[in-house]
Amino acid sequence: MFKKILIANRGEIALRVVRTCRDLGIKTVAVYSTIDSESMHVRLADEAVCIGEPSIKKSYLNPVPILAAAEITNADAVHPGAGFLSENPDFASMVAKHKMTFIGPTSEQIKMFGDKLLAKKLMKKNGLTVIPGSERYLKNIEEAKSIAKKIGYPVILKAGSGGGGKGIRVIKNEKNLIPSYSLVKQEVQNSFGNENIYLEKFFENPKHIEIQIIGDKKGKVVHLGERDCSIQRNRQKIIEETPSPILSEKERNYICNLVAKTIKKIRYESLGTVEMLYKNGKFYFMEMNTRVQIEHTITERVTGVDLVKQQIKIAAGQDIKFDQKDIKNGGHSIQCRINAEDPLTFIPSPGRIQEYHAPGGPGVRIDSALYAGCIVPHQYDNLISKVIIYSRNRNEAILRLKRCLIEYVINGIKTNIPLHLKILNNEDYISGNYHINWLEQFLSIQN
Amino acid sequence: MVKKYNVDKDIIQKLTKAVKELTNTLKKNNLKKNTFEKVEINQPKRVKVDYPGALVSPMVGTVYLSPEPGKKTYVKKGQLIKKGDTLLIIEAMKTFNPIKAPKSGKIIKILVNDSESVEYGQPLIVIK
């Protein structure tokens, strides 16, 4: 097992990793930018190294000072957290070149899943249904036209190396395809420096269902059930829950076992999430995330498995000590992402926290790096806290979640807590009858 | 595409040395953790507006005057603009927020520089 792990991240996810390391008796090294010197992940780590100025390019996205920090502190492994360098194959191989362990899959696997078309091809070959569309990057408008005709409108044009919602456009008919094609190509060229675009079938109002899996170096794979992450705004998840309120037991077993079988075939060796769209009773592979997810918490709650602990153990070469039959999902778990933003205008709200009181009681877990007096800097993500609720059934979980949100005191900045309460009181949410565009439609009716 | 980094052993060694020296200095000063500078973010407070009619920043963040580094700026001094035109972008918490003209008129003065941090209520642009 590792003796000392450097955590190449900040905020609640860095704190999450620090906590499991301490549970395992492993020493931790925090890295931080100048503005984060008083933050919680730094305070709770055994050692801390400043790696640069607040701008992410000068600190958390810069591998050189991070590796230097790992070398001087004699860390034997690096945990990348989520975001920043966590899905950068070059960072993973740099860590390995410096004779340290990258806690995650191999650099080759990260690279493979980072290319969206390669990932689709691999998953299709190994048994998953993928979203119908082009199997290679589009050569010209004629090719786009013929594929669109084959799969049927509406279609969606996407960047091969996308992110941040850039280079994505929904097209209703062939007349709109021609102008959109050149526009998206231009946008992709400007944003990513290549012209790789592809086309996919566009589904009206699907659900986002994802499957949590873990695999070890011996080739054993176990799935830990699904998560329904369909409450989204601007492609950012806001509320996640497990189990999904609309899947039947038969559907759940079918997709979870199929995904586990596929992952076993490709010999994936770490924590991973297979993201899928669900529409008309069918599941379509979208992409695979090769890191710990922000919403891993709800799966931990219903399965009792510490996913970060498993991730670290697998990276250290240990086997998964339990079998699929040992995983007994029970009860219901929901997570609300508390963001620093105006709940009506969504204007970001960084600043200093004046008063802080976190909710408690049975079935409540709060993952947050906030404390009274801390700074929420404007340079980083607006996620400041995760409220994770567990109860025997979904109705009780919703009631408990509302109770917690009312208890939660975060003064000094604005948060989206009022928005969460509105969603949780809505009939569509209560019935489970929501999809990935539901929140945006709900908000446009409100205005 | 993912950015490529070249591993430069020399730079890492140099940095390692520099950080080691820094750590030693800090140890001497009996500090466990290093604080290079105290950066204070105060609660949103209105900066005194010295420019009557100036458009003020609705948020704390980083200003960008052009869509991308090295590209043409959205607007320049003396330019005539229409209500709703994008004047600049403020990046805050990983979101890019276009700041639009509240009225038509002429750009009299641009009061901020590219990549500069702005406070809530800070004057950005004077339009007449």
Side-chain angles (χ1 to χ4, degrees), chain B residues 54-115:
Chain B
L55 177 68
V56 299
S57 179
M59 65 188 86
V60 178
T62 310
V63 164
Y64 297 106
L65 296 177
S66 55
E68 273 165 76
K71 290 264 165 84
K72 227 177 93 191
T73 56
Y74 285 103
V75 291
K76 48 181 191 262
K77 197 179 157 183
Q79 188 180 332
L80 289 170
I81 47 128
K82 279 198 220 89
K83 185 181 171 177
D85 285 356
T86 298
L87 304 174
L88 47 85
I89 297 268
I90 297 179
E91 184 195 0
M93 309 191 106
K94 279 166 62 188
T95 60
F96 291 86
N97 307 278
I99 304 301
K100 300 199 161 153
K103 59 180 182 188
S104 300
K106 194 174 174 182
I107 305 283
I108 302 295
K109 206 167 181 165
I110 297 171
L111 303 162
V112 284
N113 298 313
D114 194 72
S115 305

Side-chain angles (χ1 to χ4, degrees), chain A residues 100-168:
Chain A
M100 290 177 274
T101 305
F102 177 82
I103 300 174
T106 61
S107 170
E108 290 73 31
Q109 283 176 332
I110 299 174
K111 198 169 183 172
M112 165 77 84
F113 287 110
D115 183 312
K116 287 168 191 174
L117 278 190
L118 273 181
K120 271 178 79 174
K121 216 176 187 171
L122 179 73
M123 293 308 230
K124 192 178 172 185
K125 204 177 113 194
N126 288 287
L128 289 187
T129 304
V130 300
I131 301 173
S134 45
E135 283 174 4
R136 55 170 191 214
Y137 294 115
L138 296 168
K139 282 201 174 125
N140 50 46
I141 179 77
E142 292 311 315
E143 196 182 22
K145 269 189 194 166
S146 87
I147 293 168
K149 208 167 179 180
K150 209 172 102 194
I151 60 175
Y153 288 91
V155 295
I156 185 164
L157 276 174
K158 280 182 176 175
S161 39
K166 272 187 182 165
I168 289 181

